[in-house]
Each structure stands twice: as C-alpha cells, then as structure tokens.
Amino acid sequence: MEPTIVVTGATSGLGRLAAIKLAQQGARIIITARSQQKAEQTCQEIGADRVDAFLGDFTRLDDVRRIGHEIADRYDHIDVLVNNAGIHAFQPRTTPDGYPEMVAVNYLAPWLLTHTLLPALQRAPAARIVNVASEASRRHGTLRIPQDLTDTSPFSARGSSERYGKTKLLDIMFTMELARRLAGTTITANCLDPGFNTTGLGRELRFAGILEKVLSRLRIGDPARGTGLIVALATDPRFTGRTGGYYTVRGTRQLQPTPPGNDPSVQAQLWYETQQLLDPVAR
C-alpha cells in the first residue's frame, strides 16, 4: 500500500525536491502552499494523480490549524509528516496574530500542524515525523523561554541570522520533547540539518539569484544532499523505530544539539510554554 506523506513548503527548495523524490518512490503526496499558482505548478511536476494540495498561509495559525483538520478529515491515516516550510527574514515582520514572523513560520506553525495531525499519524501502522532544522541553531545567541516566542523587537539584516538560528534550535528541542512524549507509540520523531543548500538561498536578498547561479556552477551547496536525508528519514528502513535523533548530511551522523537546547528540562519547558501560548488556537 502506498504511503501517504505530508510535505510542507513543497512548492520550492528542498521541500519541492523531496516531494518529487518521494512521489517517484510511490508515495501519495500532500503538499501545503500559500500560492495556488505555485501549488498547481508543483502538482504538475509531481504528477496530478499522485498529489493533493492544501492552500494556506503559515503566518496565520488559524490557517495552519484549518489545513491540519482538512488533511486529517480527508485521509484515513498519515504515514509521514515532513515539516519543511521555513523562512529566513532579513528584516523584522510581525504576523497577523502578533508573533515574530520567523518564529511563527519556522516553529509555531510546525508545532501546531503536528499537534493537529497526531490523530491521523496515530492511525498509521508506523508513522514518522521529520522536522527540517539546521546547524544555524548553534548561532542562536541567548535562548530566553518564553520571551523568544513573542519577541518582536527590531533586528538588522546581520542580526537576522541569530534570530533564524534560534528558530531552528526551537525545532530541534521540539523534536526531542515530542519523541519523548510519543515513546511507546507507533510514531517516531527526528530532525535534520540539511547542510548548506543553494535552493531558495536568501530569497529576500537583491543579489540572491545571481549568487545562487554562481554557487551552482561551482557545485557548492548541492540541494540533492539535503533532499536525500529528508527522504531517508521519511522512508528508509534504516531509520525504522529510531526516534529523538538530530542528523546531519555530513556522513548521515547523529549530532547533539547545542546547549541549552540539549537539556531535557529546557525542552520540556519550551513544550509547556508553547502549549500555553497556542492553547486558544489548538483546541
């Protein structure tokens, strides 16, 4: 029986490549997208008979919850959830819900979507959750929970890297705590560092297109590497039953999160504060 796999952020970058590869392996693909035009283009690339698209804006948590419920209502079960959608914003923006944009899209949205899809994942014989994190998490500055979840203070383009890294550390911590909470169930949760990839590189920078072409010609940042690890964590028998891991494309080896993100008590605190914050929309 073909697996049913949800891939967020699948209309560009690593998500698109992973969705195509997973479909080639025989999976039924469910993608999320903000743009109907991009969703249609991606569906044509994958093959209209193998993919369904759900439209919504991940800066709006009501949209995230709606998409989750729509997917859960349509499908008997979900075998794999790949939380890939993300953004590196080079200037501060606040979402309609009042959250910092990078925190909302990179962390709160996947937390909420995972929460909403858990019943469908539990109906699968053996489900996997794969969260795309990053080694940028090691340059996160000072972690402050719960303040970081709602911090809309200004930052510069240079300072954006620290904010982005912090959201990726939150993803890793979320994965570790989720794996503990799912222990003894049929669901595993792992995250990964996809390495440096030119696909979608710094899309907000004016020179991003030129830089991507130059790096591609130099064969720097091949997105196939990051895509391969996403696909492996989603489907490879090597990872059956393995949970709570943070893996890198560099030798497909397991990494330890940078402190304090490696502290189970801090991971549990993050979960609690996130749950309290999103309780009104998660119900």
Side-chain angles (χ1 to χ4, degrees):
M1 187 172 67
E2 63 180 20
T4 302
I5 300 179
V6 177
V7 183
T8 70
T11 59
S12 64
L14 293 177
R16 171 181 156 274
L17 296 175
I20 292 172
K21 185 67 175 178
L22 290 165
Q24 290 172 345
Q25 292 184 357
R28 179 73 191 178
I29 305 298
I30 302 165
I31 66 171
T32 67
R34 184 169 56 178
S35 163
Q36 183 169 350
Q37 180 182 5
K38 288 185 176 181
E40 291 173 353
Q41 291 173 347
T42 304
C43 289
Q44 289 176 358
E45 284 186 277
I46 295 174
D49 61 330
R50 302 215 60 82
V51 61
D52 293 315
F54 292 80
L55 298 179
D57 184 346
F58 272 29
T59 68
R60 298 175 178 270
L61 295 180
D62 279 343
D63 268 17
V64 177
R65 180 184 61 179
R66 173 184 55 78
I67 289 172
H69 283 305
E70 288 177 355
I71 293 172
D73 289 344
R74 183 177 300 186
Y75 299 92
D76 175 69
H77 68 276
I78 299 298
D79 295 285
V80 182
L81 166 61
V82 179
N83 285 310
N84 164 77
I87 183 174
H88 185 151
F90 288 87
Q91 58 183 349
R93 290 189 289 265
T94 302
T95 70
D97 300 321
Y99 297 113
E101 184 183 50
M102 279 196 283
V103 171
V105 175
N106 297 355
Y107 171 64
L108 296 179
W111 194 101
L112 181 58
L113 183 63
T114 302
H115 173 82
T116 309
L117 287 179
L118 270 180
L121 289 159
Q122 290 167 340
R123 293 195 293 267
R128 303 185 188 190
I129 298 168
V130 179
N131 296 326
V132 178
S134 172
E135 277 291 80
S137 59
R138 299 194 185 279
R139 300 179 295 277
H140 67 272
T142 302
L143 188 66
R144 302 171 304 148
I145 300 172
Q147 294 93 329
D148 286 325
L149 300 180
T150 56
D151 181 10
T152 57
S153 61
F155 56 83
S156 63
R158 183 184 296 271
S160 69
S161 294
E162 182 178 295
R163 300 292 182 99
Y164 174 78
K166 190 168 293 187
T167 66
K168 290 300 162 179
L169 182 59
L170 297 179
D171 286 334
I172 296 169
M173 296 167 65
F174 159 52
T175 305
M176 303 298 181
E177 181 64 18
L178 178 64
R180 272 192 295 273
R181 289 172 177 265
L182 293 174
T185 74
T186 58
I187 307 173
T188 60
N190 294 288
C191 58
L192 69 131
D193 160 44
F196 175 73
N197 297 274
T198 55
T199 303
L201 175 69
R203 66 191 75 152
E204 293 189 16
L205 296 174
R206 288 178 295 176
F207 54 85
I210 296 173
L211 180 59
E212 184 171 335
K213 288 179 181 178
V214 171
L215 293 175
S216 295
R217 287 174 183 170
L218 295 174
R219 297 184 179 179
I220 297 173
D222 182 1
R225 297 175 64 212
T227 302
L229 184 52
I230 293 173
V231 172
L233 287 171
T235 62
D236 196 311
R238 289 180 298 161
F239 293 99
T240 300
R242 295 169 69 173
T243 191
Y246 172 39
Y247 298 90
T248 177
V249 291
R250 299 172 180 84
T252 317
R253 58 190 175 87
Q254 194 164 344
L255 299 174
Q256 286 299 316
T258 186
N262 60 340
D263 186 335
S265 66
V266 181
Q267 295 165 5
Q269 180 193 7
L270 173 63
W271 182 283
Y272 172 79
E273 297 294 350
T274 305
Q275 194 171 42
Q276 293 295 110
L277 188 69
L278 296 186
D279 182 63
V281 71
R283 292 178 182 175

